[in-house]
Amino acid sequence: DQQVKQNSPSLSVQEGRISILNCDYTNSMFDYFLWYKKYPAEGPTFLISISSIKDKNEDGRFTVFLNKSAKHLSLHIVPSQPGDSAVYFCAASGSGGGADGLTFGKGTHLIIQP
Amino acid sequence: NAGVMQNPRHLVRRRGQEARLRCSPMKGHSHVYWYRQLPEEGLKFMVYLQKENIIDESGMPKERFSAEFPKEGPSILRIQQVVRGDSAAYFCASSFTGSSMDTIYFGEGSWLTVV
């Protein structure tokens, strides 16, 4: 039973355009959401996060939007750059004090085309 | 380097041998998490430890897997009598607090191959 779903295994976007990565979750106890970026043979790198009390968080070229009623979040990258090509993981945690760790989606492979 | 340190980065074991993966958390972090990534899958939570305590091991297989985080030294993930299905990337992460709103930082991973 997948509690965090990233339904697009891959996404191809032209350099300079906007990349939109989507994530859906089913567990209403999740109250903190994170995006991680991962290059091959490396560990995930934290990108940006959002608390359930907010609906938007912005950091430079990265913006995360949260729609609690739809249990949906998205990561916007604008403008997209070649170095953004990587696998992006959506992750969620609940209000259990962190003891459950993070629940990850399966990832979306973003490919930025020149 | 003040990041999460894992070693070895790559480990090859024959079926039936033991694998030991080590993790030193970021400086100042006392909460350690182990995750496993199987091919074509996302990361799956295995275990959450604080110094000398296992807080949550709900993601650990019931047999052959164990983890510790002693008072001194790194956290160890131990896999006994490895099988081919244990081949995966094992990631350690750490956080400053155990709060669900605390960012968890990952190490570079340890790739286990069982032959």
Side-chain angles (χ1 to χ4, degrees):
Chain A
D1 176 31
Q2 249 191 302
Q3 297 188 66
V4 177
K5 297 179 185 177
Q6 292 177 257
N7 291 320
S8 298
S10 67
L11 176 67
S12 185
V13 174
Q14 205 163 13
E15 182 179 355
R17 298 286 186 103
I18 182 171
S19 296
I20 301 176
L21 297 107
N22 293 303
C23 178
D24 297 291
Y25 62 96
T26 56
N27 189 339
S28 57
M29 295 300 291
F30 289 145
D31 59 4
Y32 193 59
F33 305 89
L34 308 91
W35 285 94
Y36 285 84
K37 175 181 178 180
K38 187 180 179 302
Y39 293 118
E42 292 187 12
T45 304
F46 169 73
L47 265 180
I48 193 169
S49 62
I50 188 167
S51 160
S52 60
I53 61 172
K54 290 185 162 185
D55 55 17
K56 178 183 173 181
N57 189 25
E58 194 171 351
D59 183 3
R61 296 186 298 116
F62 302 91
T63 303
V64 56
F65 295 91
L66 175 63
N67 182 334
K68 278 185 66 179
S69 59
K71 294 193 177 68
H72 176 84
L73 64 155
S74 60
L75 174 68
H76 292 212
I77 307 172
V78 55
S80 301
Q81 298 174 354
D84 296 331
S85 295
V87 177
Y88 288 78
F89 289 98
C90 171
S93 69
S95 51
D100 294 327
L102 294 173
T103 301
F104 281 84
K106 289 192 176 184
T108 296
H109 186 191
L110 177 64
I111 302 160
I112 305 301
Q113 294 182 332
Chain B
N1 188 341
V4 179
M5 303 299 291
Q6 290 188 247
N7 70 83
R9 291 295 313 278
H10 298 275
L11 182 63
V12 179
R13 284 287 177 266
R14 295 185 187 278
R15 279 178 294 172
Q17 290 185 318
E18 179 179 287
R20 280 187 184 231
L21 309 176
R22 288 175 290 278
C23 169
S24 296
M26 278 182 78
K27 191 174 181 181
H29 286 190
S30 59
H31 299 257
V32 165
Y33 310 80
W34 284 94
Y35 288 81
R36 175 166 67 172
Q37 185 181 22
L38 295 168
E40 309 301 324
E41 295 285 323
L43 286 84
K44 301 279 191 202
F45 168 76
M46 297 180 77
V47 62
Y48 162 38
L49 311 104
Q50 276 184 276
K51 284 285 186 183
E52 300 185 273
N53 290 304
I54 295 174
I55 307 301
D56 181 357
E57 56 182 348
S58 59
M60 287 277 270
K62 298 298 180 196
E63 296 175 347
R64 303 187 296 108
F65 284 71
S66 62
E68 62 176 10
F69 189 16
K71 189 176 179 182
E72 301 290 337
S75 175
I76 307 282
L77 179 68
R78 184 182 176 206
I79 312 171
Q80 295 177 290
Q81 298 174 311
V82 296
V83 300
R84 288 233 170 98
D86 297 332
S87 295
Y90 291 83
F91 292 97
C92 173
S94 72
S95 65
F96 181 63
T97 74
S99 164
S100 62
M101 299 209 175
D102 193 11
T103 300
I104 295 176
Y105 295 91
F106 283 84
E108 297 277 282
S110 291
W111 268 257
L112 172 65
T113 302
V114 180
V115 297

